[in-house]
Amino acid sequence: MGRESCSLHIFFFPFLSHGHMIPTVDMAKLFASRGVKSTIVTTPVNASLISKAIGKSKTHNNNNIHIETIEFPCSKAGLPEGCENGDLIPSPDKFPLFFLATRLLQEPFEKLLLQHKPDCVVADVFFPWATDSASMVGIPRIVFNGTGLFSMCAIECMRLYEPQKNVSSDSEPFVIPNLPGEIKMLRTQLPPASITGETNPLTEFFKEANESEGECYGVVVNSFYELESVYADYSRNGLGRKAWLIGPLSLCNKDTEEKSQRGKDASIDENECLKWLDTKKPNSVVYICFGSIANFEDSQLREIALGLEASGQDFIWVVKNNKKEGESKEEWLLEGFEKRMEGTGLIIRGWAPQVLILGHQAIGAFVTHCGWNSTLEGVAAGVPMVTWPMGAEQFYNEKLVTEVLKIGVPVGVKKWARMDKVSVEWEAIEKAVKKIMVGEETEEMRMKANVLSQLANAAVENGGSSYSDLGALIHELLSLRH
Ligand code: UDP
């Protein structure tokens, strides 16, 4: 590994959710492996998760990674004590409170900056105020957005041109103006506030976050040039954004232990899981997982169970713990389903070692909610996808996978929805799973996905595009300091 610097010191400050913390920890490990002193700033509850992940890292320079904690005053914010992660929010209506409360981190964060005087801050897009914090101590602030460049460009074009305002019905598609690729969307696939024009503290929060991206020193992106070169060029030349593509970050995890220790503790013994997969033929198992936050209603889980059974495919299905307080059994579980599926389907209740599973040769497809980490982990593993977006920027990620890269089929969701309210019927699930696993286009999609996987792996190797972009960023930060 190249060692650009033994004296540069960077603060990494991830948003308090697994989808943001996991790639940021990978990023800190990556910088550390190039000789940068990397300090991750987070809250006590999240620090314990992160320190476990770092502890397992044998392939990186652990001595270069540090954690500093700052208190998140939950009770002051009206949240239950210990509620320091998006994953721990007791109900969806508390999300706005949680997002807005993260502003309380500014003061303790600035105290740490003054105390440690790092050379740069890589702070999450959801901490827009971190640009001011960094300039207070005279250092650059780089944004980590958490998503890819295709969707970042799409969001920016939507912000600039608001094409959704020119259509007269929910079923009338519009093209995202100026975005290369003639990408068509429906207004129902956008956050409701962007149609109604409603403003509230949360919409203001996201607006400020989006705007702060344009005001910072640059953006570090979990992606690689070969995946979205058109959009990387458009972002740099068309939108004037300075961006470094240094991913896929998940690929910095090399051994089984490291791969299985991202985020929470896995709810299944990783060796048991791999043993189960070892009994399966290559490309014969569908992996279904909807990220770290999405939680379905029982009725939706039943549809998924029916769809999977009808598809006739082997599967690993990750179900967030859906037994509600006081319930003696899981209401969503179809009568006799698990017994019937014995040997065919494996249900993981809770947290799966996702990167480990995706990397197994038995996995033939990934049913995903199109969170960017999951999407890129699917790409890195060379696995075609069934796309089932729900919210955030996931509908843009779906377009990238299905229309630009052509390595996936949509399950057919047309409506941006609150995560607990999505509804797709079992027939659509059966159809999409069959299409991705045994359809006419399966082989072609698989071939394309394989090529992308090879490009992803090459990008992070010495001399690859992401490797070089990371080196360029480190050199630039060093030159700023001198
Ligand atoms: N993840 C995991 N096991 C799970 C669920 C999620 O390892 O059971 C990881 C997944 O590999 C990814 C992250 O959690 O790195 C989820 O991020 P993503 O952007 O896909 O979705 P989000 O959780 O932010 O909606």
Side-chain angles (χ1 to χ4, degrees):
M1 285 235 174
R3 294 196 162 258
E4 280 76 6
S5 156
C6 39
S7 54
L8 196 67
H9 182 197
I10 300 182
F11 259 26
F12 293 89
F13 189 25
F15 191 70
L16 312 179
S17 72
H18 295 295
H20 290 242
M21 279 167 31
I22 290 173
T24 308
V25 171
D26 285 345
M27 186 162 38
K29 281 160 55 174
L30 198 61
F31 274 83
S33 72
R34 301 279 282 259
V36 174
K37 179 178 172 190
S38 303
T39 300
I40 302 167
V41 180
T42 192
T43 67
V45 167
N46 292 306
S48 63
L49 294 170
I50 289 176
S51 59
K52 253 191 244 163
I54 292 170
K56 299 290 173 195
S57 172
K58 294 193 194 82
T59 38
H60 300 85
N61 189 346
N62 285 14
N63 298 334
N64 268 351
I65 313 177
H66 308 266
I67 301 175
E68 287 291 335
T69 55
I70 50 181
E71 295 296 326
F72 186 44
C74 294
S75 51
K76 193 167 158 194
L79 292 163
E81 224 29 75
C83 207
E84 296 176 14
N85 189 302
D87 186 44
L88 301 169
I89 304 300
S91 62
D93 58 304
K94 290 268 189 288
F95 269 106
L97 212 57
F98 177 68
F99 271 100
L100 299 174
T102 56
R103 281 189 188 283
L104 298 171
L105 296 171
Q106 180 167 4
E107 204 188 309
F109 181 69
E110 289 179 355
K111 268 196 196 140
L112 266 190
L113 275 180
L114 287 167
Q115 194 185 333
H116 292 262
K117 297 194 175 62
D119 300 301
C120 171
V121 167
V122 176
D124 203 278
V125 68
F126 290 147
F127 300 133
W129 44 264
T131 306
D132 289 340
S133 308
S135 60
M136 180 191 80
V137 289
I139 58 171
R141 184 265 169 108
I142 291 177
V143 161
F144 176 59
N145 178 302
T147 190
L149 276 173
F150 173 85
S151 64
M152 273 193 247
C153 292
I155 290 167
E156 183 59 2
C157 291
M158 291 294 296
R159 186 179 78 84
L160 291 172
Y161 308 112
E162 301 189 308
Q164 74 276 20
K165 294 199 169 153
N166 303 328
V167 291
S168 50
S169 78
D170 285 352
S171 56
E172 187 185 339
F174 58 83
V175 172
I176 304 180
N178 276 5
L179 184 73
E182 276 277 298
I183 303 299
K184 289 196 185 112
M185 303 280 296
L186 296 172
R187 67 183 185 189
T188 50
Q189 295 171 321
L190 305 174
S194 68
I195 302 158
T196 59
E198 178 203 335
T199 58
N200 58 45
L202 194 62
T203 59
E204 289 304 305
F205 175 92
F206 288 124
K207 190 164 162 249
E208 199 189 329
N210 272 339
E211 286 167 359
S212 81
E213 218 173 76
E215 290 153 12
C216 66
Y217 188 77
V219 188
V220 72
V221 189
N222 183 14
S223 186
F224 58 104
Y225 183 74
E226 293 76 5
L227 183 72
E228 18 179 31
S229 55
V230 171
Y231 301 95
D233 293 343
Y234 179 64
S235 168
R236 280 168 184 156
N237 307 325
L239 299 173
R241 296 270 171 93
K242 207 167 178 175
W244 294 270
L245 287 81
I246 61 167
L249 294 168
S250 63
L251 289 177
C252 77
N253 299 290
K254 303 290 183 207
D255 62 22
T256 303
E257 228 181 335
E258 252 188 319
K259 286 181 192 171
S260 61
Q261 284 291 336
R262 299 171 79 237
K264 301 207 284 189
D265 284 339
S267 313
I268 184 168
D269 179 84
E270 61 262 24
N271 294 317
E272 199 186 303
C273 188
L274 291 177
K275 254 205 282 182
W276 190 88
L277 282 166
D278 284 344
T279 65
K280 302 292 176 187
K281 291 200 191 84
N283 299 325
S284 68
V285 178
V286 188
Y287 171 67
I288 303 110
C289 182
F290 298 93
S292 64
I293 295 171
N295 210 355
F296 285 128
E297 290 288 329
D298 287 352
S299 54
Q300 182 62 78
L301 291 173
R302 275 193 290 272
E303 294 296 315
I304 297 175
L306 283 168
L308 285 175
E309 188 167 4
S311 77
Q313 304 299 312
D314 288 359
F315 63 86
I316 292 183
W317 177 19
V318 187
V319 182
K320 281 195 83 183
N321 277 323
N322 259 59
K323 196 147 102 186
K324 311 211 170 61
E325 227 168 281
E327 270 180 12
S328 58
K329 62 181 178 81
E330 295 163 309
E331 293 298 332
W332 59 272
L333 202 56
L334 300 171
E335 191 66 41
F337 177 72
E338 243 175 333
K339 185 102 195 94
R340 281 198 304 284
M341 294 296 112
E342 224 172 71
T344 303
L346 181 66
I347 298 178
I348 299 178
R349 290 167 171 83
W351 192 258
Q354 176 158 305
V355 163
L356 198 65
I357 292 173
L358 283 173
H360 196 284
Q361 58 165 4
I363 298 296
F366 179 14
V367 180
T368 172
H369 72 310
C370 301
W372 181 245
N373 296 297
S374 295
T375 306
L376 195 60
E377 287 159 14
V379 167
V383 177
M385 293 171 241
V386 170
T387 56
W388 182 326
M390 295 174 196
E393 88 299 3
Q394 295 152 12
F395 284 93
Y396 300 122
N397 296 337
E398 170 177 67
K399 292 283 172 184
L400 175 71
V401 169
T402 58
E403 293 180 19
V404 179
L405 304 173
K406 297 188 169 48
I407 55 164
V409 296
V411 81
V413 188
K414 298 276 182 275
K415 205 166 172 340
W416 202 96
R418 271 184 35 179
M419 285 172 257
D420 53 339
K421 296 252 164 76
V422 180
S423 181
V424 178
E425 287 172 3
W426 69 265
E427 291 93 336
I429 299 164
E430 177 199 5
K431 196 168 151 207
V433 167
K434 279 184 172 160
K435 196 166 171 190
I436 202 89
M437 290 296 281
V438 289
E440 278 167 28
E441 300 146 64
T442 303
E443 275 318 308
E444 205 180 324
M445 280 192 282
R446 201 154 274 161
M447 236 166 54
K448 285 189 180 135
N450 264 326
V451 170
L452 287 174
S453 165
Q454 284 164 23
L455 291 170
N457 283 279
V460 297
E461 290 300 324
N462 196 339
S465 61
S466 293
Y467 187 93
S468 304
D469 240 16
L470 177 58
L473 172 56
I474 292 172
H475 277 121
E476 187 163 333
L477 292 175
L478 276 171
S479 74
L480 284 181
R481 198 181 53 171
H482 297 135

